[in-house]
Amino acid sequence: MAQWTSAVGAAQLARLLNSQQERPAGPGSRRPPAYRALADGIRLLVLEGRVPVAARLPAERELALSLSVSRTTVAAAYEALRGEGFLESRRGAGSWTAVPAGNPVPARGLEPLPPEALGSVIDLGCASLPAPEPWLTRAVQGALEELPPYAHTHGDYPAGLPALRAMIAERYTARGIPTMPEQIMVTTGAMGAIDAICHLFAGRGERIAVESPSYANILQLMREAGARLVPVAMAEGLAGWDMDRWRQVLREAAPRLAYVVADFHNPTGALADEDQRRRLVDAARAAGTVLVADETMSELWLEEEVRAAGMPRRVCAFDPAGSTVITVGSASKAFWAGMRIGWVRAAPDIVRSLVAARAYADLGTPVLEQLAVNWLFSTGGWEQAVALRRAQARENRDALVTALRRELPDWEFSVPQGGLTLWVRAGGLSGSRLAEMGERTGVRVPSGPRFGVDGAFEGYVRLPFTVGGAVAEEAAVRLAAAARLVETGGTGAAAESPRTFVA
């Protein structure tokens, strides 16, 4: 059986290689041999995630024709990549990309820092902001007022409180997507929702197509469920999805599930347009793939032109029969991470299956938190709280962008119009090494490979808009110090002890 899960055509690989910007050669330096330059280019595409791991490469003769080089050059490049662990081959099956053994995906970077470390370390690991007060307090007070009738019951609502299910359904209907309460299940955060969906649809060994890069915690959840992840590279910049690649993967790999973030994608911040959404739903339907659309960032637009133009319709709007798309929403990103309320919108039979399976998981979601979210939805408090959250994120984003451009002008990124994260190419430095050196300079940052499959995106880091003002400026200074340590192999002058800095 072939070990590859997708394929890269010769013309496509040639375009990707030609898009790489060559760094100017230094004084007295010599250009590498052609085969070495080709091998380095393919290796960089793998490490950046632009060519997925386990993607079949074109035959030597086909690639040589597309690049206008000799077959000997391509053969030598492939042999160099095999020797470095970036390519595997088998007679009759071809050659496919790999990542060398001993390069595991880093395990640090997204877990919240303990409270005692917050005074000396700037945490850019978690993409979460403080609660938008006074709305959290008001919501909890409103929930306490509504609690007494529920306190006289058993308190177990596997599908969620009927009032909250009806309210969520009403909000979808108001957006032009007719929805019944029977199509809603309330979960313990979006993670709880996706965990339940994976266990229902994708047993151990099943393939799940994921964007590359994608949200690190979801990727890890799927790995631990035993899924085989099939990465699909994002389009360049903030252009959303590469639909040619999606159609190819859905057709050839036939994944049971596909997981996507259409609205201000985590980590890139990309916003998929309506045409991409329609085409992806059509392609998933044709392939028999269940499409899981994560909407947790959908309300976090940060620019007025986005509001004026109108957000693209939800992914489920292009699946009126409800046979292909399962939608996941949450209060955790738009409101507060401590509010662990999520939900699933799906066909009633799918919701019934998810609810039945829940008896062997967490039984239900806390009643008080459900009442708090229902209070926010029913009083207009949600809209005011999210408006506050947008202003906070916008201010933080602008401060971080300004500081990065001043302290690290070689780092490359596109400024998203929404969401909570910057996806940054770190000037040719290793993201894993930056994360390691950041521990020494007092800034905590997750490395790019956390967001890829099998070690891709080594040259990236993700930076969330969680700090602003002087703290954002200090974070950029500490990142610059970490970059200098990486450049000197960690043997340069030791960074000063991080100053205590209260966010």
Side-chain angles (χ1 to χ4, degrees):
M1 181 177 179
Q3 301 299 305
W4 49 272
T5 57
S6 62
V8 180
Q12 178 187 1
L13 183 56
R15 285 195 302 271
L16 290 170
L17 288 165
N18 290 333
S19 71
Q20 293 176 332
Q21 296 181 350
E22 291 189 12
R23 295 184 179 275
S29 62
R30 299 172 57 188
R31 287 187 175 274
Y35 85 90
R36 183 69 261 171
L38 176 57
D40 289 346
I42 294 173
R43 186 190 65 221
L44 180 60
L45 290 173
V46 173
L47 289 174
E48 290 184 342
R50 297 174 69 193
V51 169
V53 174
R56 188 187 187 203
L57 294 187
E60 294 169 2
R61 186 185 303 276
E62 295 175 0
L63 185 58
L65 287 172
S66 292
L67 293 173
S68 299
V69 299
S70 71
R71 183 177 177 181
T72 302
T73 297
V74 177
Y78 278 15
E79 183 60 34
L81 290 168
R82 276 189 288 270
E84 297 164 2
F86 284 94
L87 197 69
E88 296 181 11
S89 304
R90 192 172 69 233
R91 185 176 297 276
S95 300
W96 55 92
T97 56
V99 170
N103 287 267
V105 177
R108 300 181 296 177
L110 296 184
E111 305 81 4
L113 275 178
E116 61 270 18
L118 292 177
S120 60
V121 178
I122 298 176
D123 186 7
L124 298 182
C126 294
S128 301
L129 291 164
E133 289 288 27
W135 298 106
L136 174 62
T137 298
R138 292 181 183 178
V140 173
Q141 289 171 342
L144 288 171
E145 293 175 2
E146 298 291 331
L147 183 60
Y150 294 95
H152 295 293
T153 72
H154 48 65
D156 288 333
Y157 297 89
L161 292 184
L164 181 55
R165 296 177 72 195
M167 180 60 67
I168 294 171
E170 182 180 318
R171 289 172 65 84
Y172 278 105
T173 300
R175 294 185 177 97
I177 307 168
T179 303
M180 303 179 295
E182 292 79 10
Q183 292 177 259
I184 303 296
M185 181 178 83
V186 180
T187 63
T188 307
M191 292 288 290
I194 294 169
D195 182 57
I197 293 166
C198 288
H199 280 89
L200 180 63
F201 284 95
R204 186 165 293 276
E206 291 276 7
R207 290 178 175 177
I208 301 178
V210 295
E211 297 151 325
S212 183
S214 186
Y215 179 32
N217 287 341
I218 294 296
L219 295 181
Q220 189 60 29
L221 181 156
M222 292 174 175
R223 291 187 190 100
E224 292 181 359
R228 297 174 60 192
L229 301 183
V230 182
V232 186
M234 297 288 289
E236 290 295 315
L238 299 177
W241 301 319
D242 184 325
M243 287 310 306
D244 290 338
R245 295 185 186 183
W246 267 107
R247 279 195 299 270
Q248 181 183 27
V249 166
L250 293 176
R251 182 176 62 249
E252 296 179 359
R256 186 71 181 92
L257 284 179
Y259 168 77
V260 296
V261 184
D263 304 299
F264 310 120
H265 173 260
N266 185 354
T268 68
L271 177 65
D273 62 34
E274 285 204 0
D275 182 60
Q276 290 173 330
R277 296 171 193 232
R278 179 185 296 105
R279 292 164 63 193
L280 184 56
V281 172
D282 290 345
R285 184 182 298 113
T289 297
V290 175
L291 185 62
V292 181
D294 184 334
E295 292 185 345
T296 53
M297 297 284 189
S298 64
E299 298 192 58
L300 290 178
W301 49 265
L302 304 181
E303 303 294 350
E304 280 302 312
E305 54 260 37
V306 175
R307 182 195 63 78
M311 284 285 291
R313 283 177 288 171
R314 304 295 177 93
V315 176
C316 58
F318 302 99
D319 180 38
S323 60
T324 300
V325 178
I326 298 177
T327 301
V328 172
S330 171
S332 298
K333 292 298 184 185
F335 185 75
W336 183 47
M339 188 67 77
R340 304 303 304 160
I341 298 294
W343 53 86
V344 172
R345 181 197 180 274
D349 61 322
I350 293 175
V351 168
R352 286 193 294 270
S353 297
L354 290 170
V355 171
R358 196 171 195 178
Y360 308 101
D362 63 356
L363 294 178
T365 302
V367 169
L368 188 63
E369 292 185 24
Q370 292 188 70
L371 289 172
V373 172
N374 193 57
W375 183 92
L376 287 165
F377 284 157
S378 61
T379 63
W382 176 267
E383 283 69 26
Q384 296 184 66
V386 173
L388 180 62
R389 171 69 84 227
R390 291 190 193 108
Q392 199 176 14
R394 185 187 306 112
E395 183 179 335
N396 287 357
R397 180 200 62 183
D398 294 346
L400 182 62
V401 165
T402 299
L404 287 174
R405 286 175 172 164
R406 181 182 64 247
E407 300 294 336
L408 292 155
D410 292 339
W411 287 21
E412 302 170 39
F413 53 85
S414 298
V415 181
Q417 293 183 305
L420 291 172
T421 56
L422 280 179
W423 184 237
V424 180
R425 191 197 302 257
L429 301 180
S430 160
S432 298
R433 290 285 288 163
L434 281 167
E436 180 183 359
M437 295 302 163
E439 301 282 347
R440 292 172 56 179
T441 62
V443 60
R444 189 165 180 264
V445 56
S447 61
R450 288 296 311 274
F451 304 89
V453 176
D454 296 329
F457 303 108
E458 181 56 56
Y460 288 80
V461 292
R462 188 195 73 170
L463 304 179
F465 319 144
T466 52
V467 297
V471 184
E473 294 178 7
E474 177 69 12
V477 169
R478 296 184 185 188
L479 281 171
R484 289 192 293 273
L485 286 174
V486 173
E487 289 170 340
T488 60
T491 59
E496 296 180 6
S497 299
R499 295 175 289 167
T500 298
F501 216 97
V502 179

